[in-house]
Amino acid sequence: MPTLSIKSLQVAHVGPVDLDINPGEIVCLSGASGSGKSLLCRALADLISHTGVVRLDGEDATAMPAPHWRRRVALLPAESQWWYDRVGAHFIHKDDALLQALGFTSATWDWEVARCSTGEKQRLALLRVLANQPQCLLLDEPTGSLDEENTLRVEQIINDYAQQHAAPVLWVSHSGAQIKRIASRHFKIRNGQLEPL
């Protein structure tokens, strides 16, 4: 079962960071705007230059091509990117059950992306990430644009995924109530360091 292991990671003003996230564990990260939460997520996904060692299940990120690492350690950014006109074109595997669990119908595959609200795009971006069945999730405010009903729906889906796949999860959140609901551990970034709360 995969553990995400972070040793002496340094990126810009963040670090050095040492942290192990266990299989199926949800670790929440909070902190002021600009404190480096998104930077840390992007470094862990090997999207930006950093120093230190990041391993999943004992395998070093540098031991494989970056796209292969990102399939295993998937980042859901705060703002998703869309390349095609229609929703379904972004999916190789279409999971109708998960689509419906996120509050959509099968007709959503044919929607134009341009008609989707920010919150709908956020939920569909989560579906796109989970469709690839990553071994580890890096979630940058995945419910930031959602109402309460959809926030709870997304929390349940991510928690279920973490348990079913024994996936370590790093979840950036500004909501104290959410952190109490979902986190097994909570850290705050302050002056580039992780402080356990």
Side-chain angles (χ1 to χ4, degrees):
M1 290 194 290
T3 296
L4 182 68
S5 182
I6 305 160
K7 303 293 181 196
S8 303
L9 185 140
Q10 183 93 39
V11 54
H13 61 282
V14 177
V17 170
D18 294 283
L19 180 64
D20 286 341
I21 305 178
N22 298 312
E25 182 182 27
I26 297 177
V27 171
C28 276
L29 185 62
S30 62
S33 295
S35 60
K37 303 179 298 296
S38 297
L39 271 176
L40 179 59
C41 288
R42 289 173 60 78
L44 293 173
D46 201 21
L47 285 165
I48 54 175
S49 180
H50 61 277
T51 57
V53 177
V54 184
R55 292 189 179 99
L56 182 69
D57 202 16
E59 289 190 75
D60 197 312
T62 60
M64 64 190 78
H68 181 62
W69 175 259
R70 288 178 205 130
R71 278 193 295 274
R72 295 181 64 192
V73 179
L75 171 63
L76 179 64
E79 292 185 18
S80 57
Q81 302 297 312
W82 301 86
W83 303 277
Y84 305 111
D85 289 340
R86 298 200 175 269
V87 169
H90 296 85
F91 293 82
I92 296 171
H93 307 290
K94 295 183 175 75
D95 186 334
D96 278 328
L98 191 53
L99 182 74
Q100 289 167 17
L102 283 164
F104 297 102
T105 69
S106 55
T108 306
W109 300 122
D110 293 323
W111 284 6
E112 289 187 3
V113 172
R115 68 146 278 184
C116 295
S117 69
T118 303
E120 287 170 337
K121 287 179 185 174
Q122 195 161 39
R123 285 182 286 147
L124 289 167
L126 172 63
L127 180 65
R128 190 171 60 186
V129 164
L130 296 182
N132 293 323
Q133 297 207 321
Q135 293 175 280
C136 175
L137 294 173
L138 308 171
L139 307 173
D140 194 352
E141 298 191 63
T143 60
S145 299
L146 303 184
D147 59 27
E148 184 178 3
E149 179 185 359
N150 282 309
T151 292
L152 294 174
R153 183 179 270 154
V154 165
E155 288 174 4
Q156 186 63 56
I157 286 168
I158 293 169
N159 187 64
D160 289 349
Y161 186 90
Q163 300 312 309
Q164 291 166 9
H165 295 265
V169 178
L170 182 64
W171 186 320
V172 175
S173 178
H174 284 297
S175 167
Q178 179 173 75
I179 290 166
K180 285 180 183 176
R181 287 193 300 268
I182 61 169
S184 56
R185 287 185 289 157
H186 175 203
F187 294 86
K188 184 170 188 173
I189 295 189
R190 187 178 284 129
N191 299 321
Q193 299 297 308
L194 297 193
E195 295 184 358
L197 295 175

